[in-house]
Amino acid sequence: MSRSGFDHLPRAALAALLPELLLCGQLIDRSGLPHAIAAFGREGMTAIAIEEWQIASPVYTRRMQRALGFVGDDVATIFKGLQLDIGAPPQFMDFRFRVEDRDHGEFWLDHCGALMDVEPMGDDFVVAMCHTIEDPTFDATALATNAHAQIRPIHRPPRRPADRHPMCAWTVTIDPANIAPPVPPNAELVASSAAAGIELGVIDTDDPGRADYSGPLLSDLRFADFSKSALVRIADEVCLQHHLLTLGFMIAVRARLGPDAAAGADPAARAGAGPKAAAMTMGRKHFTGIAGISSERIRAALGLGDDPAALAEVLRLHPAWNPLPYTGVEITETSDTVLLRIPHRSDATADGAWPAMIDADHLAPLDAMARGVNPRFVTQAIATDEHGWTVEMALAPQPFREATEVTLTRYSTGASFTFTDRGIPLPLTVL
């Protein structure tokens, strides 16, 4: 059986952690898109957001369906997938569902954290997110379940009146007459990645608790109802969603950084380093912002301290280093340091995912990750050999200033969002 970085956690801790992992996945965009705006403007940022979700979400949606045994081609299957999608973290993106029959349904958002983030920026940004981005990416997610599914708005922002609730509402229709949109040009780059095909641990059906998501669609997913084995697999799949979305982001960025684009806002490009280096610089900024916020939220969710033992635990659970069969990292601790061992060769480095973005001269994402636990942590590369390299994390006498990339990500209301217990979920039956 494949090993997992989540195996050591008790069931209750896993149930508390999973909403955090889903939310941190949604915040990946909040980390990356400010840098895309700076380099390409609002229209370029919008195009990147569309492409990254279009080419990543069908891959991870189908993976989750297979993992939890709810493969199907109806509206309820589409809705189940949304409940386990980093694009729709529970409560922060508060999706509510109605199923009319197997081919018709509606959903609406009682709360949309993403809208809360962009409304202060004005209607142009709201339209970019709720119209230009949502139309093709909602359909891409639905198409992972049924090629003839279409998602269309009933109403959506800009909100008129300004406090309109629900914030948006949509129909989902499956009809053989619906013509599927063309496959995005770079979709195969994600579909053929190591992340897309990696095999993870099999769920133990004898483990106490729910082993799958067969049966009726539920109004909410209460993760505490799942078995520990299922929670471990879900956590690994959610972390893989992070990597797949990041691969999509980087593919979209590189596609827009041709020879003539290298004179944009990116410092490496302006210095003549070329489009490849410019894309890597943007990727590292993207990684730095989400690395810090994710550490901070994981630490708070599990009530951890701020010492090396707490940092080691956060690293073991951090999406950047999971699932372990993908990244191959090793984490050890002493009384006053934490060592992170990163192999030169892994599926993650072959794909160009987060572990491939750092080296001895580019440790900013690791500094941000460590300082999400304690602002006094500092990292340094201490050893390398033919198999991998090792980073040491230790406490310095004085705290460090928060990285600009983390501060930019923190503008999202998701950075400080608090989950609540909603009690026992209800099955949603056909009307």
Side-chain angles (χ1 to χ4, degrees):
M1 180 179 293
S2 299
R3 62 194 176 114
S4 172
F6 300 98
D7 278 334
H8 68 286
L9 282 184
R11 185 177 169 189
L14 282 164
L17 182 63
L18 263 165
E20 297 291 342
L21 295 177
L22 286 163
L23 177 56
C24 289
Q26 206 273 342
L27 294 178
I28 289 173
D29 259 2
R30 297 300 174 263
S31 176
L33 295 185
H35 307 294
I37 292 172
F40 306 109
R42 189 184 70 246
E43 290 185 1
M45 175 275 293
T46 300
I48 288 171
I50 291 170
E51 182 168 351
E52 65 172 325
W53 289 99
Q54 275 187 317
I55 63 181
S57 67
V59 174
Y60 65 64
T61 296
R62 294 186 184 109
R63 283 192 60 96
M64 191 68 82
Q65 289 176 349
R66 293 191 298 269
L68 289 184
F70 63 95
V71 175
D73 62 358
D74 59 355
V75 165
T77 302
I78 294 172
F79 291 166
K80 287 182 179 182
L82 286 172
Q83 292 176 317
L84 291 156
D85 190 316
I86 57 174
Q91 299 182 29
F92 183 70
M93 305 289 288
D94 195 10
F95 280 70
R96 305 286 90 196
F97 303 102
R98 178 185 297 116
V99 179
E100 297 176 14
D101 56 45
R102 72 171 310 278
D103 294 332
H104 300 86
E106 296 180 4
F107 67 83
W108 59 95
L109 271 71
D110 280 346
H111 175 80
C112 179
L115 180 63
M116 296 294 93
D117 293 344
V118 300
E119 271 189 332
M121 301 168 70
D123 281 358
D124 286 345
F125 279 91
V126 171
V127 170
M129 183 182 75
C130 300
H131 296 241
T132 312
I133 294 174
E134 292 291 23
D135 285 349
T137 56
F138 267 154
D139 273 353
T141 299
L143 289 170
T145 298
N146 193 307
H148 300 291
Q150 287 186 349
I151 298 178
R152 295 294 179 264
I154 299 170
H155 69 82
R156 56 180 164 177
R159 291 192 286 171
R160 304 288 188 268
D163 60 349
R164 183 174 187 176
H165 281 82
M167 294 184 173
C168 64
W170 304 74
T171 63
V172 183
T173 303
I174 297 172
D175 187 331
N178 292 339
I179 299 174
V183 176
N186 292 318
E188 183 58 28
L189 295 177
V190 172
S192 63
S193 67
I198 195 167
E199 293 187 10
L200 299 175
V202 177
I203 296 172
D204 183 356
T205 56
D206 292 328
D207 208 12
R210 185 169 192 157
D212 57 36
Y213 194 8
S214 60
L217 170 72
L218 300 174
S219 58
D220 289 294
L221 279 189
R222 189 168 66 171
F223 290 108
D225 293 337
F226 285 90
S227 70
K228 175 178 174 177
S229 178
L231 291 170
V232 167
R233 177 61 184 271
I234 297 169
D236 275 334
E237 290 288 349
V238 170
C239 290
L240 203 62
Q241 291 184 18
H242 289 228
H243 291 285
L244 287 162
L245 187 66
T246 299
L247 295 181
F249 176 82
M250 293 302 296
I251 288 167
V253 167
R254 286 194 294 267
R256 286 156 182 82
L257 276 174
D260 296 333
D266 188 278
R270 289 201 305 267
K276 183 176 180 180
M280 181 61 79
T281 298
M282 189 176 298
R284 287 171 178 146
K285 291 178 178 179
H286 166 274
F287 185 12
T288 300
I290 191 57
I293 295 296
S294 295
S295 285
E296 185 178 296
R297 290 199 63 94
I298 292 168
R299 171 181 174 267
L302 298 183
L304 301 174
D306 61 359
D307 58 356
L311 174 59
E313 180 69 344
V314 167
L315 293 179
R316 292 185 187 105
L317 305 173
H318 201 288
W321 314 126
N322 288 287
L324 287 182
Y326 183 61
T327 69
V329 303
E330 298 177 5
I331 298 153
T332 57
E333 61 185 281
T334 68
S335 60
D336 55 3
T337 65
V338 177
L339 300 180
L340 176 67
R341 173 78 173 174
I342 303 170
H344 292 315
R345 288 175 290 278
S346 68
D347 284 342
T349 55
D351 278 347
W354 281 326
M357 296 182 188
I358 52 175
D359 56 38
D361 297 319
H362 298 93
L363 297 176
L366 298 186
D367 281 329
M369 195 178 295
R371 290 167 193 168
V373 175
N374 187 319
R376 290 171 50 210
F377 274 115
V378 63
T379 67
Q380 63 173 336
I382 61 169
T384 187
D385 58 33
E386 61 184 303
H387 302 294
W389 61 294
T390 301
V391 178
E392 179 185 75
M393 302 180 179
L395 288 167
Q398 299 295 326
F400 294 88
R401 183 178 179 180
E402 181 174 86
T404 301
E405 294 86 353
V406 176
T407 302
L408 283 172
T409 309
R410 197 181 295 284
Y411 90 88
S412 172
T413 57
S416 58
F417 187 79
T418 301
F419 293 101
T420 61
D421 184 354
R422 290 185 164 179
I424 298 173
L426 301 175
L428 298 178
T429 57
V430 177
L431 294 176

